Amino acid sequence: MSGEAFIFWGPFVAFAAVTVLYVIWMWRVERGDGE
Amino acid sequence: MTVAFFLLYFVVVFAIGIWSMKLTRDESDYWIAGGKLGWLLGGATIAATHVSAGSFIGTIGVIYTAGWSFAWIVLSIPLAYWFMAAVLAPRFTRTRELTVSAFLESRYESLALRRLSAVVILVAIVVFVQAQIVASGLVGNIVFGISREWAMVAFTVVLLAYTAMGGLFAVVYTDFFQLLIMVAGVLLALPIAVHQLGGFDALFTYVRAVKPETFTWGSFPPLHLFTMGIAFTLGTVATPEKLVRLYSMKDMRELRRGVLFAFVAATGLNLTIFVIALTAIVLFPGLPTGDLAMPLVARAVLPPLLGALLLAAIASAIMSTVSALMLVAGSALARDLYGTFRPASTDRERILVGRVGVLLVGTAPLVLILSGVGRGELVQFIVLLYTALMASSFFVPVVLGVYWSRATKAGALASMTGGVLTCFAWKLFGASRIDPVLPGLLASFALFVAVSLVTTKPSEKAFAPFAS
């Protein structure tokens, strides 16, 4: 990936990754809570 | 057509304000919507409050002027909200206060801290709202062709009317409506603006030709972005209008879902807006200020109805943020300052005092702007000072306050005072490449810990609700 492509796509990819991780965290917390 | 569209828009938000008055039965309804919000309304109000003129006017202006690297700053949004949902909210919401200052009073058993924090909130919000009011002047000038001054007056009057009438219920329902307008505005505007340039490939080719430094680290090297990102993250976590929204959610399950909805909407909106900024680089090179980029795209690129929708989206971003802030500032004035000297006896009196408080603090930024205070900087950097001030004053006493039983009221008072003063001093005299939030937060943290450790251990009762 070129430096230019990294600068442009980086925020989109990182945002998608953080969102997926949050959903997994939420699912694990609520399973642990017994909700 | 644009004027008619806007008048209809104002009628709708005004009607929501009147309708929301009926939902407000007591003070809890007025300030925190009774603590009954589910994930959809709760998440929408967080997102709409987060997305401000900073995104639609300021950030797009920075992307236009300084390039795409600034877009990395959006990652602070999901990280800040995740921190709120995972670390802060589970303990912070164990008590349900009506204001953050009231939380500080009960946690640290200090009325002085409550009043000090209310003063900090009032000052910081006046600074922040000034930036939003300036942006509303731009939009009103373009939509109605009236002077920026009159546009600012008109926006303030409409905002104050529905916020003072309906309290947080009015703000939440108008926020939901305004978030829909924002999403529709940018999602429809983006493909049309890109299509006019011949598609995405052509857009990138043109951008490289017009401004070759756009896709480089250029104006914002990674280290600078990192410190700005910390400022945004900590500021988001610690702002009173966000903390109060945690109190307004029904329970932790709704809160976690609401936070997910909020950060997906806010981050998605910001990224879409940034791509629209790229079209402005090609279509309107050489603007005197990047702040004009978005209104110009709405006016000159899009068909009239869509242009009106995008301008309404900008107005929505401004109004949803300012209404939330006016409510918080109103609560600081009415409940945390006036109310602690002269407590009202009935709910009706307290709501009346609240409404007067909202009207008073809502008028102050407009008066300051019209008298020439606070002009001349890009909107986003005024917003940045707000987040820095909030982070320097509230982050440590709030977040550590629910985790550290040894924290004392003297520690919290020193932390808040030192954080605010350091933040201001750095803004005025410090190195500009380091955001004021970093020295502000360090001072706040160091004073909080040091002063707490050398002062008498607090009573166990104050920390009891937050103990694990």
Side-chain angles (χ1 to χ4, degrees), chain B residues 130 134 148-149 152 366 368-378 382:
Chain B
Q130 281 185 55
V134 169
R148 289 185 185 190
E149 286 75 15
M152 289 190 266
L366 179 69
L368 285 170
I369 281 285
L370 292 179
S371 58
V373 180
R375 287 186 179 181
E377 271 193 282
L378 276 177
I382 302 177

Side-chain angles (χ1 to χ4, degrees), chain B residues 51-206:
Chain B
V51 178
S52 64
S55 309
F56 272 89
I57 306 282
T59 312
I60 190 173
V62 179
I63 298 270
Y64 175 92
T65 313
W68 184 264
S69 58
F70 190 73
W72 282 78
I73 212 86
V74 293
L75 295 177
S76 63
I77 300 173
L79 294 176
Y81 286 111
W82 194 345
F83 182 90
M84 284 176 94
V87 179
L88 180 59
R91 291 195 181 200
F92 182 71
T93 56
R94 285 184 193 171
T95 61
R96 204 181 287 272
E97 305 288 348
L98 300 186
T99 67
V100 178
S101 301
F103 157 80
L104 291 170
E105 184 191 4
S106 70
R107 166 62 187 87
Y108 295 102
E109 298 175 312
S110 168
L111 188 57
L113 186 62
R114 179 176 186 167
R115 289 177 180 153
L116 172 70
S117 62
V119 171
V120 172
I121 287 172
L122 277 173
V123 172
I125 285 183
V126 166
V127 172
F128 187 83
V129 168
Q130 281 185 55
Q132 309 289 321
I133 299 285
V134 169
S136 77
L138 276 174
V139 177
N141 174 255
I142 288 173
V143 172
F144 297 107
I146 54 177
S147 72
R148 289 185 185 190
E149 286 75 15
W150 278 112
M152 289 190 266
V153 173
F155 265 83
T156 306
V157 168
V158 173
L159 264 165
L160 276 176
Y162 76 74
T163 308
M165 276 192 298
L168 191 59
F169 271 124
V171 171
V172 163
Y173 283 104
T174 50
D175 278 357
F176 185 73
F177 170 67
Q178 286 161 339
L179 184 69
L180 290 179
I181 296 275
M182 283 188 251
V183 171
V186 298
L187 286 185
L188 291 170
L190 178 70
I192 291 174
V194 172
H195 179 72
Q196 290 219 352
L197 291 167
F200 275 104
D201 288 342
L203 168 66
F204 293 124
T205 307
Y206 286 136

Side-chain angles (χ1 to χ4, degrees), chain A residues 10-27:
Chain A
F12 294 96
V13 174
F15 167 45
V18 173
T19 305
V20 170
L21 289 171
Y22 182 94
V23 171
I24 294 170
W25 165 79
M26 193 170 75
W27 176 69

Side-chain angles (χ1 to χ4, degrees), chain B residues 32 299 303 308 329 335-336 348 370 420 438 457 461:
Chain B
I32 61 166
R299 194 70 176 168
R335 274 198 63 83
D336 301 319
R348 204 172 158 177
L370 292 179
V420 168
L438 293 178
K457 201 176 172 186
K461 190 177 116 238

